[in-house]
Amino acid sequence: MVSIPSIRKATTRPIILLFGDSITEQGFGYGEVAGGAIGWASLLSKDYCRRADVLNRGYSGYNTRHALQILPTTTNDNDLLFATVFFGANDAARSGELQHIPITEYGQNLRRIVHHFRNQQKETDEEDNNNNNQK
């Protein structure tokens, strides 16, 4: 008779959130755009295999103003290991173009995005501390 070791209860993995424009959207290197190359998000996912789930929230054509509008919907999971933020190519469009964002607003928008993820991480850390104190 073969004994099977007990499998420990599955726990949720922390989240690595990739938030950005088309550079992020195409980060897994799929389709004709990537020319069959392996994308940076694929490599990140491989490196964190079994340790974290990589969520791609890339939005082609978006600038930081758009990003702030959808930021609350990017993830509702507080178990955030870290996030990448890749915006700027669309913000840097020529003045007068639809996607253009003035440099001062761009900087303010990035600070707000980073602040959002830092607060989310603090909430996770506080929950972890509370759970550890209850044990």
Side-chain angles (χ1 to χ4, degrees):
M1 176 173 200
V2 176
S3 68
I4 300 173
S6 64
I7 299 173
R8 68 184 172 116
K9 185 179 175 184
T11 58
T12 58
R13 294 180 187 153
I15 301 297
I16 298 171
L17 180 67
L18 314 179
F19 187 50
D21 54 25
S22 60
I23 296 167
T24 300
E25 184 177 35
Q26 298 165 18
F28 279 97
Y30 54 86
E32 294 179 21
V33 176
I38 297 173
W40 65 272
S42 298
L43 298 172
L44 186 65
S45 184
K46 178 183 172 281
D47 286 346
Y48 281 89
C49 181
R50 296 186 181 192
R51 294 183 291 160
D53 290 330
V54 177
L55 298 181
N56 187 327
R57 298 295 182 263
Y59 302 92
S60 181
Y62 276 42
N63 59 29
T64 53
R65 192 179 294 155
H66 298 128
L68 286 171
Q69 292 173 357
I70 61 167
L71 186 59
T73 66
T74 55
T75 180
N76 61 358
D77 194 327
N78 286 336
D79 199 9
L80 186 64
L81 183 60
F82 66 85
T84 65
V85 178
F86 288 123
F87 286 99
N90 298 311
D91 297 76
R94 292 183 183 191
S95 184
E97 295 289 327
L98 181 64
Q99 295 171 310
H100 173 75
I101 301 293
I103 190 72
T104 54
E105 182 184 349
Y106 171 72
Q108 292 168 349
N109 292 348
L110 280 181
R111 283 189 284 282
R112 289 175 63 192
I113 293 167
V114 169
H115 180 74
H116 171 83
F117 289 125
R118 282 187 176 163
N119 282 343
Q120 194 171 15
Q121 183 61 46
K122 285 178 187 175
E123 290 173 14
T124 300
D125 292 344
E126 288 172 6
E127 286 176 12
D128 288 346
N129 288 337
N130 289 338
N131 289 338
N132 288 336
N133 290 336
Q134 292 175 359
K135 290 182 181 179

